[in-house]
Amino acid sequence: MDEKSGEYWDAAADRFDEEPDHGLREPAVREAWAGRLKGWLPDTPADVLDLGCGTGSLAALAAERGHRVTGVDRSPRMVALARAKLAGTDARVVVGDAVQPPVAAGRFDVVLVRHMLWALPDPVASLRRWAGLLRRGGRIVLVEGRWGEAAPVGISAAELAAMVRPFAAHTEIEQLAHDTALWGRPVRDERYAAVVRVAPPRRHSEIVDVHLILRRGDRVLLGRRVNTGYADGLLHAPSGHVEAGEDVREAVIREAYEEVGVALSPEDVSVALVMQHRAPGGDARIGWFFVADGTGPEPVNREPDKCSELGWFPLDALPDDMVAYCRAGLDAYRAGERFVLHLHEPGDTIVHDPDAPGRAVALRPSGCSTMAATNAVP
């Protein structure tokens, strides 16, 4: 029988509390765990998720301290015993997989897990998933160890500290093997608790690009990329990154002069659309597309090390050998869209593929209707 199965634990449930540290039936053992738990959990009432809660012994201690407890266990029999043990409290216990518990993300202050992480097929992925269940400032409390002396199994404290390091703001390890009151007997293997305070999510940030739709009647200016390391050989509108201290309009005016020698003033450019874009396998960025009249002096290739040629192309019959998100931006502009998502999935091509799934999604502003498919030059 699979030791990780709900059937196994159903069969073990009625004898589970016979272990001193499972049932906490002895007053000294119960008092020892209550004291430790007090130090691991917040001082004020908090939402505590006890994963793999078993018969609910630790959940009961947390509930007695006024915490709002949710227990999850994959064994229906364990859940039944835990509900009986927690009767008279506000705690709830549900049947579910502790790795992917049936609870909402960002809902808890504490995720409490005892003697389970070591048995999971991918403990690092499980830890990351549990971190996502926490509110900002939350913590994961793990009671783990390396059990046995001749052939130990489990996770050492050093190994666990390395697992949580990428997302932990602070980790405190508390050795427990020496405290015989916790186990109801002397133990010689490694047993510990880790209180992992999860770092808040990084503030969302994205690169900001600017793109120039330079129009000469019904045609637009495109350049062929070369020696850039990204999308070389493909056509793209004049474009670049916003630099420190610039606003997006200043940036597109600078890029127009640097790339194609077109001198524009602020009055010459208008916003065409804003697009959030993600390259295949890359991070998202924001692209501002501006439109300007290109009937003045002929543009020149001022960056031949990055652009092999310039050309005018019909806006209503654009070539396929374009960077996909630039093509999507120009198509959206023709359709009168103003706010667009274009998020590639892994495996998508950088080049525009007319037979591939469309990734452009228009976001309609409130109270605005779609403009005509052909746009007047500003």
Side-chain angles (χ1 to χ4, degrees):
M1 185 178 294
D2 182 359
E3 288 189 350
K4 299 175 184 177
S5 70
E7 292 81 3
Y8 173 90
W9 292 111
D10 278 342
D14 288 335
R15 299 180 62 86
F16 187 77
D17 279 355
E18 292 179 5
E19 288 289 331
D21 58 306
H22 290 173
L24 311 186
R25 291 169 173 171
E26 298 176 18
V29 175
R30 183 178 180 82
E31 182 179 350
W33 280 101
R36 296 284 179 166
L37 204 62
K38 178 182 178 183
W40 300 335
L41 300 183
D43 294 331
T44 56
D47 290 301
V48 177
L49 177 63
D50 186 356
L51 295 176
C53 66
T55 60
S57 295
L58 291 188
L61 293 179
E64 288 172 7
R65 293 199 57 80
H67 297 296
R68 300 173 293 274
V69 179
T70 299
V72 177
D73 200 282
R74 67 185 310 173
S75 162
R77 180 57 182 159
M78 288 282 194
V79 167
L81 293 172
R83 286 172 176 166
K85 192 175 290 185
L86 289 159
T89 74
D90 292 332
R92 71 184 188 100
V93 188
V94 298
V95 177
D97 183 355
V99 175
Q100 298 187 26
V103 297
R107 161 77 172 73
F108 297 92
D109 303 298
V110 181
V111 171
L112 172 64
V113 186
R114 181 170 69 160
H115 298 173
M116 187 179 67
L117 183 69
W118 71 276
L120 300 179
D122 191 342
V124 173
S126 298
L127 287 165
R128 288 189 176 277
R129 190 171 292 112
W130 296 340
L133 302 176
L134 294 169
R135 297 187 177 107
R136 184 179 293 269
R139 67 188 76 173
I140 304 174
V141 177
L142 301 155
V143 181
E144 287 293 332
R146 286 273 290 171
W147 300 284
E149 297 178 70
V153 296
I155 300 172
S156 70
E159 290 171 330
L160 190 142
M163 289 179 182
V164 302
R165 190 170 294 124
F167 59 85
H170 177 74
T171 301
E172 182 177 350
I173 304 292
E174 190 173 335
Q175 295 295 336
L176 303 175
H178 65 281
D179 190 348
T180 57
L182 291 170
W183 318 109
R185 65 186 190 283
V187 296
R188 296 183 178 85
D189 46 20
E190 183 182 17
R191 306 187 184 199
Y192 62 90
V195 179
V196 183
R197 296 182 183 270
V198 175
R202 292 183 296 115
R203 187 180 297 275
H204 181 71
S205 62
E206 293 184 358
I207 294 172
V208 178
D209 293 332
V210 290
H211 309 262
L212 178 63
I213 304 173
L214 191 64
R215 289 189 59 165
R216 182 170 285 179
D218 292 331
R219 296 179 297 158
V220 294
L221 183 71
L222 300 176
R224 194 171 301 278
R225 298 171 63 91
V226 66
N227 300 324
T228 68
Y230 181 82
D232 287 332
L234 301 181
L235 292 165
H236 196 281
S239 62
H241 295 169
V242 177
E243 296 180 351
E246 287 184 320
D247 62 43
V248 291
R249 186 172 61 177
E250 290 170 339
V252 77
I253 290 172
R254 173 183 53 77
E255 291 288 352
Y257 186 73
E258 291 179 354
E259 292 194 10
V260 295
V262 174
L264 298 171
S265 66
E267 295 75 22
D268 294 329
V269 297
S270 300
V271 176
L273 66 102
V274 179
M275 172 189 285
Q276 185 184 39
H277 161 69
R278 182 179 63 225
D283 295 326
R285 57 180 60 198
I286 298 295
W288 284 71
F289 287 71
F290 288 84
V291 63
D293 185 355
T295 57
E298 187 66 24
V300 294
N301 184 1
R302 298 190 65 190
E303 295 183 337
D305 57 324
K306 299 179 182 179
C307 176
S308 62
E309 62 173 316
L310 293 175
W312 295 95
F313 296 84
L315 186 58
D316 60 355
L318 292 168
D320 288 338
D321 59 337
M322 292 184 63
V323 177
Y325 79 90
C326 179
R327 172 62 183 264
L330 293 181
D331 287 344
Y333 165 66
R334 284 191 65 246
E337 305 297 350
R338 291 296 176 258
F339 304 96
V340 182
L341 301 178
H342 187 264
L343 305 177
H344 276 301
E345 298 294 337
D348 286 353
T349 60
I350 296 171
V351 62
H352 169 69
D353 182 354
D355 297 323
R359 300 302 185 193
V361 177
L363 305 178
R364 300 295 173 81
S366 176
C368 295
S369 60
T370 301
M371 295 179 65
T374 55
N375 295 279
V377 177

